[in-house]
Amino acid sequence: RSTLFPYTTLFRSVKLTEKFFVRKSVGLSLLFCLALWVSSAWGSDEDILRKWKRTDSFNEKSELQTVAIEVTYYSAEYVEALVRSEAEKNLWTKDEMENYKYTLLKSLNLHDSIAFHIDFNVTGVPMHPQPFDRHLTLFVGKQRYNPSDYDKRFNFKISGQRDGMVFFPRYDPKTGKDILEGVKDIRLVLNGAISQATAARGDIRWVWDLSKDNPEALGTGKAMDRLELDRLIKRMEKLNQERQELQTKIDALDRELDEVRSRVDELQTR
């Protein structure tokens, strides 16, 4: 669908509206104001998507290697804007949009992970980033965390464009608390030694202001209900497994108690 479609429709509507005004200038003023309003509304989701992206480009001093990097943090606001944007571009129904949202959220696993998308574009001498996970660190307050999972293609030589996901644990392994709770910002740090182009620059830091995010932006709906159902089923399976393990221990204790009682009875009858 052409991006000019809403503007063309708007202009036709305003032309008809102008007939109700005595002066043409009034109609033109209305046209201008409405055009600005549509333009602002049209670009709002794109503005949100850009807000959570970080881009940098680095050159090796002899120009043998250039590395362009784009990093996206999957905030709640970003995910919601992405779903709306894709739905609008593809003219999805509400059910189709909810299905896409469910699939996206399930793949991101935001309830257990902190998700980033990283896109490298390397020209000239290839980049050798392996082991990739040792080059990335997430700082939340004073605490530092290593990736819990990542696209293993990052461990191979990179020449040209390559992108993939990187995940960090959402819960502290020692305390079990959500590490983002009450935090103002997060910093993702990439070791400058990952490539020739970034070596002279040193470590690269990207900062996201979490106060600008709204975790409630994901809202409710079929997608969220399906995710909650998935979590509850998973929790039930875990509880049933724990229950079975405990039952096995109880059964073993009962057998031992029976053996002890039997021996006590035997000794008392002598």
Side-chain angles (χ1 to χ4, degrees), residues 45-62:
D45 282 339
E46 293 301 320
D47 292 339
I48 292 173
L49 295 177
R50 283 193 294 269
K51 183 173 76 173
W52 298 100
K53 293 180 184 290
R54 302 290 182 267
T55 57
D56 280 295
S57 185
F58 306 92
N59 293 309
E60 197 266 338
K61 62 181 180 179
S62 59

Side-chain angles (χ1 to χ4, degrees), residues 19-31:
K19 294 180 181 181
F20 294 94
F21 293 92
V22 177
R23 294 185 180 182
K24 186 177 180 180
S25 59
V26 177
L28 292 176
S29 297
L30 177 63
L31 170 62

Side-chain angles (χ1 to χ4, degrees), residues 1-69:
R1 183 177 61 173
S2 172
T3 56
L4 294 177
F5 174 75
Y7 297 99
T8 304
T9 305
L10 174 64
F11 293 157
R12 289 173 181 170
S13 300
V14 171
K15 276 296 182 182
L16 293 174
T17 305
E18 286 183 24
K19 294 180 181 181
F20 294 94
F21 293 92
V22 177
R23 294 185 180 182
K24 186 177 180 180
S25 59
V26 177
L28 292 176
S29 297
L30 177 63
L31 170 62
F32 179 74
C33 292
L34 289 176
L36 287 179
W37 177 81
V38 171
S39 178
S40 175
W42 184 267
S44 60
D45 282 339
E46 293 301 320
D47 292 339
I48 292 173
L49 295 177
R50 283 193 294 269
K51 183 173 76 173
W52 298 100
K53 293 180 184 290
R54 302 290 182 267
T55 57
D56 280 295
S57 185
F58 306 92
N59 293 309
E60 197 266 338
K61 62 181 180 179
S62 59
E63 303 293 330
L64 292 176
Q65 184 187 69
T66 299
V67 178
I69 309 173

Side-chain angles (χ1 to χ4, degrees), residues 6-173:
Y7 297 99
T8 304
T9 305
L10 174 64
F11 293 157
R12 289 173 181 170
S13 300
V14 171
K15 276 296 182 182
L16 293 174
T17 305
E18 286 183 24
K19 294 180 181 181
F20 294 94
F21 293 92
V22 177
R23 294 185 180 182
K24 186 177 180 180
S25 59
V26 177
L28 292 176
S29 297
L30 177 63
L31 170 62
F32 179 74
C33 292
L34 289 176
L36 287 179
W37 177 81
V38 171
S39 178
S40 175
W42 184 267
S44 60
D45 282 339
E46 293 301 320
D47 292 339
I48 292 173
L49 295 177
R50 283 193 294 269
K51 183 173 76 173
W52 298 100
K53 293 180 184 290
R54 302 290 182 267
T55 57
D56 280 295
S57 185
F58 306 92
N59 293 309
E60 197 266 338
K61 62 181 180 179
S62 59
E63 303 293 330
L64 292 176
Q65 184 187 69
T66 299
V67 178
I69 309 173
E70 180 181 85
V71 185
T72 302
Y73 167 57
Y74 278 83
S75 67
E77 186 184 43
Y78 178 88
V79 171
E80 192 67 18
L82 179 62
V83 171
R84 288 195 302 266
S85 177
E86 291 297 314
E88 184 176 359
K89 285 189 295 185
N90 294 285
L91 300 177
W92 285 336
T93 63
K94 184 177 180 180
D95 285 343
E96 289 172 329
M97 183 175 72
E98 289 291 336
N99 286 333
Y100 172 78
K101 183 177 180 179
Y102 168 76
T103 303
L104 175 64
L105 290 173
K106 191 169 184 178
S107 64
L108 293 174
N109 194 26
L110 294 183
H111 290 282
D112 295 321
S113 303
I114 300 171
F116 295 88
H117 179 267
I118 301 182
D119 191 326
F120 290 102
N121 196 344
V122 181
T123 57
V125 177
M127 185 171 77
H128 299 271
Q130 73 278 5
F132 181 74
D133 57 329
R134 296 187 183 180
H135 290 290
L136 271 178
T137 306
L138 179 66
F139 286 87
V140 181
K142 295 181 180 180
Q143 300 297 320
R144 55 186 297 163
Y145 299 92
N146 297 321
S148 56
D149 196 12
Y150 63 98
D151 192 326
K152 299 305 186 291
R153 295 180 305 148
F154 284 140
N155 284 328
F156 298 93
K157 177 181 71 175
I158 300 177
S159 180
Q161 190 269 343
R162 184 171 302 165
D163 68 299
M165 298 297 300
V166 178
F167 299 93
F168 289 86
R170 180 169 288 271
Y171 297 95
D172 188 278

Side-chain angles (χ1 to χ4, degrees), residues 213-241:
D213 189 21
N214 179 17
E216 296 179 358
L218 292 177
T220 58
K222 292 183 179 179
M224 300 306 292
D225 289 345
R226 289 173 66 186
L227 284 173
E228 183 179 5
L229 181 60
D230 289 344
R231 290 194 301 274
L232 291 174
I233 292 175
K234 189 175 181 180
R235 179 63 177 160
M236 286 178 60
E237 291 175 349
K238 184 178 180 181
L239 290 173
N240 283 328
Q241 182 180 357

